[in-house]
Amino acid sequence: MPGLSAVGRPVPGQYPDPAGPVVMPLPGVPKIGGTHPPAGAGDGMDPADDAALKEVQRLLSNSLSLAGGTEEVATRLRAALLLAQPQLTATLPGTPLTQREQLAQALAWLVHNLDDPPVLVAGCVQLGGALAECGIQPGQLQLVGAALAEAMRQGMTANGWRQDFDQAWRSTWQHVHEWVAHGAEMARYQPVTWLAEVVSHERRRPDLAVVRIRPYLPMPWRPGQYARIEVDGVPGVWRPYSLAGRGNIIELHVRAKTEAGVSGTLVYRTGEGDRVRFTRAEGGMGVPPGQRDLLLVAGDTGVAPLKAMLGELAATGDPRSAVLFWGVRDLDELYDMEDIARIARACRRATVVPVVSEGDPGQYASGLVTDAIAAYGEWSEADVFLAGPPVMLAATSAALQLLGVAPERIHHDAPEG
């Protein structure tokens, strides 16, 4: 096939030398570190290169269909990687299900964009940067091409895996790997950002929305952390928001004081299908190792990172006791109570205590959240995590120290001005 070197057919159940075959550049696709076109060369893609790329694209698409489609191939590919390189799948963020979903989306994206070299190269470079942020270096990906070829072959009928299929996939992967490596190298010198799509938007109060967002590329974050977000309506402005959610879905709890700015855009002018950008996750909050019980204290939308920490306790079956106090002004501010209560029920030992400071508290405690904490029990041996407005952080921290909690056991991220 034009522009592709011949490679050997894989032996079932075995992988070839990780160094892989030597391949020629894909037609029409720029080679990282390659030479510039000769002087006088015309702009655009040569018609012969265009035809060759479309032939490779046809082979990839047809073989993917014959192998059962993207979801089945992704399932077999992840299983092969789990067997050959368990550390790779352990390092990638997300659950086994979300990892398979992202692999399936990546395969579909690769085939769809193979005939658009600028998009193809840029996407692979971005993937390299994202994987580097996850702690995965290109050297760990050398077996992926062989594992992919085997995942394709296993899904086909006897003698269905042809030499031209093998050549197309392996040569394509060689170049994808090179561009991913370039992206990983670039990540050492410039910040990585993640493009993400809004998958749901719920107005829980007139001024507050819960927004669920799916990054296109793997994004590492720990329950309790925050990230900075940019929206199209306010370019160049990055505002921090705490991260909740599970798997590859990030949940933001956004309260807007006005209709302007990043928060105003997210609450009032954002809907499904809109895109936002994330920086890398930051902050020292997170479920700590050890056996100490946990005291979680939230004010207003500060409940988001603590909800995420409860979710981690539920997902891991952690046996520690965790009590979440959520201080609000009135009952209307308990905008996420149902979901948080559901997560607490899934934990082995978790309790949620809403505290309403004004008006009718209904079935919940009334007064100041610090008084409710003092009346509930003794906390000197607990690890404490706070999230909320700056005034609440200062007042709660001071009250807890008066109750005998050592300052080094009280954790919260520094408030921003």
Side-chain angles (χ1 to χ4, degrees), residues 198-343:
V198 175
V199 296
S200 74
H201 184 281
E202 300 176 23
R203 287 280 288 277
R204 300 283 182 85
R205 299 197 321 236
D207 62 342
L208 186 146
V210 173
V211 188
R212 294 185 178 91
I213 304 172
R214 179 189 294 116
Y216 289 112
L217 297 177
M219 177 178 166
W221 63 280
R222 185 177 66 250
Q225 289 188 301
Y226 65 92
R228 300 174 192 277
I229 296 173
E230 181 192 49
V231 296
D232 287 340
V234 193
V237 178
W238 296 83
R239 193 190 187 295
Y241 295 93
S242 295
L243 308 177
R246 292 289 298 172
N248 65 340
I249 301 295
I250 293 174
E251 181 179 288
L252 306 180
H253 297 196
V254 185
R255 182 180 183 182
K257 296 180 180 178
T258 71
E259 295 191 10
V262 179
S263 293
T265 300
L266 287 171
V267 171
Y268 299 108
R269 295 184 299 281
T270 296
E272 293 183 21
D274 288 343
R275 294 181 175 184
V276 302
R277 283 159 294 279
F278 287 88
T279 62
R280 66 165 60 98
E282 304 175 61
M285 295 267 283
V287 176
Q291 302 299 318
R292 293 186 185 278
D293 291 338
L294 303 179
L295 168 60
L296 313 176
V297 188
D300 198 40
T301 56
V303 77
L306 306 184
K307 173 184 178 180
M309 291 172 64
L310 278 184
E312 182 175 0
L313 295 175
T316 59
D318 196 298
R320 282 176 286 186
S321 169
V323 182
L324 168 60
F325 288 85
W326 187 8
V328 297
R329 286 182 301 177
D330 54 54
L331 287 173
D332 291 340
E333 292 194 347
L334 295 174
Y335 63 90
D336 203 35
M337 190 61 209
E338 182 177 344
D339 204 26
I340 292 173
R342 177 187 58 80
I343 294 173

Side-chain angles (χ1 to χ4, degrees), residues 32 88 121-142 173 175-194 217-218 280:
I32 299 297
L88 180 62
V121 175
C124 292
V125 168
Q126 291 169 7
L127 175 61
L131 292 176
E133 288 289 329
C134 295
I136 296 173
Q137 295 303 315
Q140 297 175 262
L141 304 175
Q142 290 177 329
W173 172 252
H175 297 286
V176 167
H177 183 269
E178 184 174 359
W179 301 322
V180 166
H182 184 69
E185 181 66 18
M186 289 177 62
R188 297 172 56 189
Y189 305 101
Q190 62 186 38
V192 175
T193 60
W194 284 260
L217 297 177
R280 66 165 60 98

Side-chain angles (χ1 to χ4, degrees), residues 68-116:
T70 56
E71 292 186 4
E72 289 191 17
V73 172
T75 298
R76 292 193 295 271
L77 174 57
R78 186 185 181 280
L81 293 174
L82 181 62
L83 182 63
Q85 288 184 286
Q87 185 59 36
L88 180 62
T89 53
T91 304
L92 281 170
T95 64
L97 175 60
T98 59
Q99 289 180 6
R100 290 195 299 270
E101 289 175 348
Q102 289 197 313
L103 284 172
Q105 292 165 2
L107 290 171
W109 180 91
L110 174 63
V111 173
H112 179 75
N113 290 286
L114 193 73
D115 63 344
D116 192 342

